[in-house]
Amino acid sequence: MAPLAEKALEWLVFLHSGQETDADWAAYEDWRASGVAERKAAEQAERVWAGIGPALRRPRAGLARRSVLAGAGIALVGGAGLAAFLGMRRDLFADVRTAVGERRTHTLADGTRIELDAATSLDLHYSAKTRRIELLEGRIFVSVATDPNRPFIVDAGGGAARALGTAFEISRSGDMVNVVVSEHTVRVCYPRETDGPHVDVDAGSEVEFSRAGGLARPHAADVVSRMSWRNGLLAFQDRPLAEVVAQISRYRHGRIVIVDGELARLPVSGLFESADTAALLDALSAALPVTIDQLPWLTLIRRDASRPLEPFTRRR
């Protein structure tokens, strides 16, 4: 992206921060009208903004200065809208949570150990009869302490994973849930009712469930690679770029946006350090036909027109 267009995007990010004033909007409009190059750069940035913000809140009535963007179909946000746009946490009151880029281990009273990946949150619901936690968002690895009288259950996305004396990973992104088992067996139910559909997932296997797809069949998993995050690594083998971006977002502040939907399916393979997301993004731009623009709180992944998509899409 050209420097002027990057500057225009920086303007837009600030103008939706909730800290902007009428004077700031006037300054942006003055800059936009200061020359042909500035106007074209602003129009390009506004098209990008319109493409990535269709769900954002519309401007309040009476803010006439913002009509230049509203007229282009761009959703404008205040403080709450910016939080959603930047991917900030909605679960501030979770019993246990980690920040972006933070991993840690939480030991429960019964000796069960929960390793939390970055940007993860959960609630605890322990009683005399049941050990139950709810994964609100993110990814955990659980080493369950044996207690035959109290089953251990993880609720997530409308389903549940039930285990006795086992070790497994469960991740949730929205209503998509994945369970990977490294020891013994986990019974996965979806919907959550105990007498509803369920599958038993053995060590070395995984299963997914979601509102759209229901409960899938268990299949073999590369457990070592899938759980490499526990050692500060992110391993991918022909994973779609959209999935890789979702993983990077756990470790990087701000929002990463794939501007061209066709790019979301590009396959990515490699082993990367989760603590160095800048190097990971550089590797993506070198390996794939993409251009990556890094702005304050916003990273854009765009198609590089000088490199064809075909060699990559043919591999799918």
Side-chain angles (χ1 to χ4, degrees), residues 164-167 181-186 201-204:
L164 283 173
T166 190
V181 181
S182 60
E183 294 181 15
H184 305 297
T185 301
V186 173
V201 186
D202 297 324

Side-chain angles (χ1 to χ4, degrees), residues 27-268:
Y28 171 70
E29 293 174 13
D30 289 343
W31 175 83
R32 192 182 191 276
S34 64
V36 174
E38 286 79 5
R39 177 178 57 77
K40 290 183 177 179
E43 290 173 350
Q44 180 184 358
E46 290 163 11
R47 285 194 298 271
V48 171
W49 189 270
I52 64 180
L56 302 182
R57 193 171 64 192
R58 295 281 176 178
R60 298 186 301 274
L63 295 183
R65 291 192 185 279
R66 308 188 183 190
S67 61
V68 61
L69 300 184
I74 298 170
L76 308 179
V77 295
L82 181 71
F85 171 66
L86 298 178
M88 294 180 182
R89 307 295 298 276
R90 296 172 298 172
D91 43 11
L92 297 178
F93 301 104
D95 292 333
V96 185
R97 65 187 183 92
T98 53
V100 172
E102 176 192 11
R103 290 185 296 111
R104 67 184 177 94
T105 299
H106 183 83
T107 302
L108 302 177
D110 65 341
T112 294
R113 296 176 68 253
I114 303 177
E115 297 178 41
L116 290 86
D117 195 4
T120 293
S121 58
L122 57 89
D123 282 338
L124 305 175
H125 307 285
Y126 265 45
S127 70
K129 295 182 178 180
T130 304
R131 298 174 294 169
R132 184 184 294 270
I133 68 173
E134 182 181 4
L135 180 62
L136 303 174
E137 188 72 14
R139 175 164 54 186
I140 58 176
F141 178 83
V142 187
S143 299
V144 183
T146 302
D147 184 348
N149 298 317
R150 289 197 304 168
F152 185 91
I153 301 170
V154 179
D155 294 326
R162 176 175 177 146
L164 283 173
T166 190
F168 64 101
E169 170 192 300
I170 180 168
S171 60
R172 176 181 180 181
S173 178
D175 70 347
M176 175 68 70
V177 177
N178 175 265
V179 179
V180 184
V181 181
S182 60
E183 294 181 15
H184 305 297
T185 301
V186 173
R187 174 159 291 185
V188 177
C189 305
Y190 185 81
R192 184 179 304 154
E193 291 77 10
T194 55
D195 59 348
H198 67 269
V199 294
D200 289 339
V201 186
D202 297 324
S205 299
E206 65 179 311
V207 72
E208 302 84 27
F209 62 82
S210 67
R211 185 180 304 150
L215 179 61
R217 293 179 178 272
H219 54 92
D222 184 348
V223 175
V224 174
S225 294
R226 292 295 301 275
M227 298 186 181
S228 61
W229 62 270
R230 299 170 60 202
N231 297 310
L233 299 172
L234 296 176
F236 306 107
Q237 181 63 45
D238 286 332
R239 306 308 301 169
L241 179 60
E243 179 182 319
V244 173
V245 165
Q247 295 297 323
I248 298 173
S249 296
R250 297 185 189 276
Y251 296 89
R252 187 178 181 86
H253 289 283
R255 186 176 179 187
I256 306 174
V257 177
I258 301 174
V259 176
D260 185 338
E262 191 172 6
L263 300 178
R265 299 186 295 274
L266 292 178
V268 177

